[in-house]
């Protein structure tokens, strides 16, 4: 069965300038980290030229006849009901593939009541729309896979982590990363910035901003919109409103108003182009933070990086992909350069390289079984010995 496949998601080649904060949030989903995994999907698959947005009408899709590839996310959770928000899959006459589904909950549990029934039904609809009997859904890790097992859908799912793991075709990426760390040290420490509103990790976030401030680093924000607003500074009104919201939180962490303004002007950055984001990482000696895709964008650029996981979602991704990581709760008073050095020294880069090629091969075979052509880049990584 020959099928042309279309990407579903934001079109990052679009020529729309987000003229204000609301339009920015609409175009870039309010968390720029999402752009990295959408970008990764397009790096891994040789798509047709036809793309669809999330709001595309099923009758138009059916008329064109292309299969659909969804870049999914942490949508197995109480925060999202795909039955209400997802595309009406039951109205489609074309095959469907989903990539990167993950569970989001503070702590892993055997009780699945945190997942809305609408989401479960939507996932069943997706798995019913495969070309054949092969899996047509990849999931982010073993915990998410165990949920699919309990739902009776294990035979339709493949746990391979996130497609961001395969952006860079270098099969020895781990070796490249560790060699760079050993040769450059930590003169420039940049941060995949978290949220000042998360009370559980507030002191940790303060220590991360201090590391960037004191070590020639960048503080790269993804979410929430208040951080994005003060970084972009669309208008005096936007800046003032968001600055007044974040200031008390940073003051509790020891930053004066003047210090926060100086950090925003000199350290804060935001990116909507994943390629430019990855190029920016070349400035840094190491990137660290609680944002998994901010960390992945650095690793895939060959730059040392550490994810400090804060929940089951980021934990299972870190473990499945074997990237440098640590539990953020191990650093309730903050993290320092000694801690960072220890995490990198404990990382097994050889296991990372072996696992990454193995997962790339599984992903390539998954695509082929769904009659999807892998990109040249993914095929090259999967062929590595």
């Amino acid at each position: 069965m020959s099928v042309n496949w279309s990407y579903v998601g934001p079109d990052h080649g679009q020529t729309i300038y987000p003229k204000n904060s609301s339009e920015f949030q609409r175009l870039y989903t309010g968390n720029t980290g999402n752009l990295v995994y959408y970008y990764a999907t397009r790096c891994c698959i040789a798509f047709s030229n036809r793309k669809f947005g999330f709001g595309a009408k099923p009758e138009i899709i059916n008329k064109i006849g292309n299969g659909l590839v969804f870049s999914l996310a942490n949508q197995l959770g109480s925060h999202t009901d795909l039955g209400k928000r997802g595309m009406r899959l039951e109205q489609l006459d074309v095959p469907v593939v989903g990539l990167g589904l993950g569970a989001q909950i503070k702590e892993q549990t055997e009780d699945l009541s945190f997942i809305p029934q609408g989401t479960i039904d939507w996932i069943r609809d997706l798995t019913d729309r495969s070309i054949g009997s092969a899996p047509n859904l990849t999931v982010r890790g073993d915990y998410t896979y165990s949920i699919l097992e309990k739902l009776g859908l294990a035979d339709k799912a493949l746990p391979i982590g996130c497609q961001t793991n395969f952006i860079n075709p270098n099969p020895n990426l781990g070796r490249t990363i560790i060699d760079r760390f050993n040769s450059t040290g930590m003169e420039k420490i940049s941060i995949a910035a978290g949220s000042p509103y998360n009370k559980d990790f507030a002191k940790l976030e303060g220590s991360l901003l201090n590391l960037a401030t004191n070590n020639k680093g960048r503080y790269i924000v993804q979410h929430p919109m208040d951080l994005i607003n003060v970084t972009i500074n669309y208008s005096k009104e936007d800046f003032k409103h968001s600055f007044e919201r974040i200031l008390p939180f940073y003051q509790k962490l020891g930053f004066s108003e003047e210090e926060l303004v100086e950090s925003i002007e000199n350290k804060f950055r935001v990116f909507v182009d994943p390629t430019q984001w990855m190029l920016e990482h070349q400035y840094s000696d190491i990137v660290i933070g609680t944002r998994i895709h901010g960390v992945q964008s650095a690793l895939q650029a060959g730059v040392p990086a550490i994810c400090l996981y804060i929940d089951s979602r980021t934990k299972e991704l870190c473990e499945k992909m074997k990237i440098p990581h640590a539990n953020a709760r191990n650093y309730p008073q903050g993290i320092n350069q000694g801690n960072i050095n220890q995490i990198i020294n404990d990382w097994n880069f050889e296991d990372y390289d072996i696992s990454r090629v193995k997962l790339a091969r599984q992903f390539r075979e998954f695509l082929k079984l769904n009659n999807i052509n892998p990109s040249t880049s993914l095929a090259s990584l999967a062929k590595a010995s």
Side-chain angles (χ1 to χ4, degrees):
M1 179 180 179
S2 178
V3 180
N4 289 323
W5 291 87
S6 289
Y7 160 88
V8 181
D11 179 7
H12 303 129
Q14 58 192 331
T15 54
I16 300 174
Y17 175 73
K19 59 183 178 295
N20 54 46
S21 176
S22 296
E23 195 160 273
F24 184 101
Q25 186 164 11
R26 179 179 66 81
L27 288 173
Y28 301 119
T29 71
N31 185 337
T32 58
N34 296 339
L35 308 184
V36 178
Y37 73 80
Y38 290 132
Y39 170 77
T41 298
R42 299 175 75 173
C43 286
C44 292
I45 294 175
F47 283 109
S48 72
N49 289 329
R50 183 72 195 220
K51 298 179 285 289
F52 292 105
F54 293 119
K57 295 181 179 180
E59 58 267 28
I60 294 176
I61 295 170
N62 291 336
K63 184 177 181 179
I64 293 170
N66 285 8
L68 301 183
V69 177
F70 286 88
S71 295
L72 301 174
N74 50 310
Q75 285 140 331
L76 286 180
S78 59
H79 62 296
T80 300
D81 187 341
L82 289 174
K84 297 177 180 178
R85 299 181 59 183
M87 187 181 287
R88 308 304 334 145
L89 299 183
E90 71 276 6
Q91 298 176 18
L92 293 177
D93 299 326
V94 299
V96 176
V97 164
L99 303 180
L101 181 68
Q104 179 165 321
I105 190 170
K106 192 171 183 179
E107 298 290 343
Q108 295 181 1
T109 175
E110 299 295 310
D111 180 6
L112 304 188
S113 61
F114 70 97
I115 306 173
Q117 186 61 45
T119 294
I120 294 173
D121 293 341
W122 193 91
I123 298 301
R124 289 190 187 280
D125 279 343
L126 185 149
T127 57
D128 284 343
R129 281 161 175 76
S130 61
I131 283 181
S133 60
N136 67 330
L137 174 66
T138 70
V139 298
R140 293 186 167 188
D142 297 333
Y143 175 59
T144 301
Y145 183 74
S146 73
I147 291 175
L148 273 292
E149 282 185 312
K150 291 182 177 65
L151 296 175
L153 298 173
D155 61 327
K156 304 299 290 187
L158 179 69
I160 61 164
C162 179
Q163 53 269 31
T164 55
N165 204 26
F166 314 118
I167 294 173
N168 192 321
N170 177 7
N172 302 307
L173 185 60
R175 166 65 73 179
T176 299
I177 290 167
I178 205 68
D179 285 349
R180 176 167 173 152
F181 179 79
N182 290 334
S183 65
T184 62
M186 288 187 283
E187 183 180 353
K188 300 173 183 175
I189 303 176
S190 291
I191 307 303
S195 170
Y197 304 140
N198 192 328
K199 294 180 181 180
D200 289 343
F201 305 104
K203 289 184 178 180
L204 172 61
E205 195 61 38
S207 72
L208 292 171
L209 179 53
N210 268 320
L211 283 170
T213 301
N214 298 327
N215 294 278
K216 303 179 182 179
R218 316 287 200 220
Y219 191 72
I220 302 175
V221 305
Q222 300 176 200
H223 177 80
M225 280 303 300
D226 284 327
L227 290 186
I228 292 173
N229 285 340
V230 298
T231 305
I232 296 176
N233 196 3
Y234 274 116
S235 67
K236 289 182 179 179
E237 291 75 18
D238 271 348
F239 183 93
K240 183 174 185 294
H241 173 75
S242 291
F243 185 79
E244 288 177 349
R245 282 171 54 87
I246 67 173
L247 177 60
F249 292 89
Y250 284 102
Q251 285 178 324
K252 289 179 182 178
L253 301 175
F255 294 90
S256 68
E257 181 173 343
E258 294 75 17
E259 288 171 333
L260 182 56
V261 169
E262 184 177 356
S263 292
I264 291 170
E265 291 176 346
N266 296 308
K267 301 295 181 180
F268 282 39
R269 300 286 190 277
V270 64
F271 295 96
V272 297
D273 182 331
T275 302
Q276 188 62 42
W277 191 343
M278 292 172 69
L279 290 171
E280 173 73 9
H281 287 313
Q282 297 301 330
Y283 166 85
S284 304
D285 294 327
I286 192 165
V287 176
I288 182 171
T290 57
R291 299 290 185 187
I292 182 68
H293 293 110
V295 168
Q296 275 290 82
S297 65
L299 291 170
Q300 293 299 304
V303 176
I306 296 169
C307 181
L308 302 173
Y309 65 81
I310 62 173
D311 57 19
S312 66
R313 171 183 61 93
T314 45
K315 180 176 185 286
E316 75 165 342
L317 276 170
C318 290
E319 291 177 344
K320 191 65 180 179
M321 298 186 295
K322 299 186 184 295
I323 67 173
H325 66 277
N327 188 340
R329 296 185 184 279
N330 291 343
Y331 309 98
Q333 302 303 313
I335 196 166
N336 57 44
Q337 287 175 273
N339 302 138
I340 294 171
N341 192 67
Q342 187 63 54
I343 294 168
I344 290 292
N345 285 336
D346 289 344
W347 178 49
N348 191 326
F349 68 89
E350 292 175 329
D351 277 359
Y352 169 80
D353 281 340
I354 293 169
S355 171
R356 186 165 166 268
V357 171
K358 179 181 177 181
L359 292 171
R361 288 175 183 155
Q362 292 176 355
F363 189 28
R364 177 191 61 187
E365 293 309 305
F366 167 91
L367 295 175
K368 287 184 175 180
L369 288 171
N370 283 280
N371 287 349
I372 299 175
N373 292 323
S375 67
T376 302
S377 176
L378 177 63
S380 174
L381 176 60
K383 285 192 297 186
S385 58

